[in-house]
Amino acid sequence: MEGKEVRFGVAQTALFAATTTAATTGSVNAMHDSLTPLGGLVTLVQMMLNSVFGGKGVGLINFTQYLILSVFLAGLMVGRTPEFLGKKIEAREVKLVMLAVLAHPLSILGFTALAVTMPAALSSLNNPGAHGFTEVLYAYTSATANNGSAFAGLNANTPFYNLTTGLAMLTGRYLTLLPMLAVAGLLAAKTRVPAGSGTLRTDTALFGGLTVAVLLIVGALTFLPALTLGPVTDHLQMLKGAVQ
């Protein structure tokens, strides 16, 4: 029962954990380190996508990245002009969008990879194996997504983690915001193009489904190997222990 929240029950605790990691609140009503492995996976995925709520405009900006990327990919596939809000999407906008899209996983996975190779970082772990890896992954995911919650089993109050999580916060905030501000400036300077027969409509259920698919393929699959090494393996080990 260590770390379990008994005041609110399982359902409300799980709802709060999912909601707080879908936004940049950082508040918790239970210790996330004590969640089941798949419960921890849900909190991680919310911050890795960072597009569900996002918080303070960040979710809108991140979702706009995937909207522009979806418009561009759909235009390539069906041979229509990539347009977003009446403005043509060209190579410069796509390059800036990809910089913003790649900065998020680069920060999370890059710093996590660095931490698991450093003895000084590994000495902060409270748990070995897959759960310990999840603790490190969560620390940099939360820092990059500017969430503020943590797997409290990791002692992050060390020079290494203070420096690297601070860099992750800077990367997650500015390398996603600045390219999108540049995209906004480029689009604002363009002349609005009237919709025609070659325009890809973005107000249809089909385009909505395409955007969700792009978000999951580009966003979620990027982190699948790390999630497999962490919470998925932790869950399988828990099941194995229960069977034994």
Side-chain angles (χ1 to χ4, degrees):
M1 294 299 293
E2 179 272 327
K4 296 296 188 292
E5 179 49 69
V6 296
R7 295 173 298 171
F8 307 115
V10 174
Q12 292 190 47
T13 300
L15 175 62
F16 196 97
T19 304
T20 194
T21 49
T24 56
T25 64
S27 57
V28 298
N29 73 343
M31 301 305 294
H32 287 185
D33 196 34
S34 298
L35 297 174
T36 62
L38 294 186
L41 182 145
V42 171
T43 61
L44 278 167
V45 169
Q46 299 276 24
M47 294 183 290
M48 287 171 172
L49 294 179
N50 210 23
S51 300
V52 182
F53 302 137
K56 306 174 186 71
V58 181
L60 176 62
I61 291 173
N62 290 339
F63 193 65
T64 303
Q65 298 172 7
Y66 292 108
L67 283 173
I68 294 176
L69 188 58
S70 300
V71 167
F72 179 72
L73 292 176
L76 291 179
M77 289 189 292
V78 301
R80 294 194 176 187
T81 304
E83 295 176 8
F84 182 64
L85 301 178
K87 304 296 181 74
K88 287 188 177 182
I89 303 299
E90 297 176 311
R92 291 182 65 187
E93 290 83 14
V94 176
K95 290 177 181 177
L96 288 167
V97 165
M98 286 310 302
L99 175 61
V101 169
L102 293 173
H104 187 70
L106 180 63
S107 174
I108 295 172
L109 300 178
F111 284 118
T112 300
L114 177 64
V116 297
T117 61
M118 301 290 290
L122 295 177
S123 65
S124 293
L125 292 177
N126 191 43
N127 298 280
H131 192 77
F133 178 81
T134 306
E135 290 176 348
V136 176
L137 181 65
Y138 192 101
Y140 291 111
T141 303
S142 179
T144 302
N146 289 274
N147 184 267
S149 61
F151 264 33
L154 175 71
N155 175 25
N157 189 21
T158 65
F160 176 83
Y161 281 109
N162 286 335
L163 175 62
T164 53
T165 54
L167 291 173
M169 290 175 64
L170 289 173
T171 302
R173 186 174 295 274
Y174 292 109
L175 283 188
T176 54
L177 293 180
L178 293 179
M180 292 307 295
L181 286 174
V183 170
L186 290 172
L187 293 181
K190 293 185 177 183
T191 304
R192 184 178 294 274
V193 179
S197 59
T199 303
L200 175 67
R201 291 184 57 186
T202 57
D203 59 347
T204 63
L206 177 61
F207 182 77
L210 175 64
T211 303
V212 172
V214 169
L215 194 152
L216 292 176
I217 292 172
V218 176
L221 289 184
T222 303
F223 298 101
L224 181 60
L227 292 172
T228 302
L229 291 173
V232 174
T233 299
D234 195 14
H235 179 73
L236 295 176
Q237 290 175 337
M238 183 184 70
L239 292 180
K240 180 181 178 182
V243 171
Q244 291 176 344

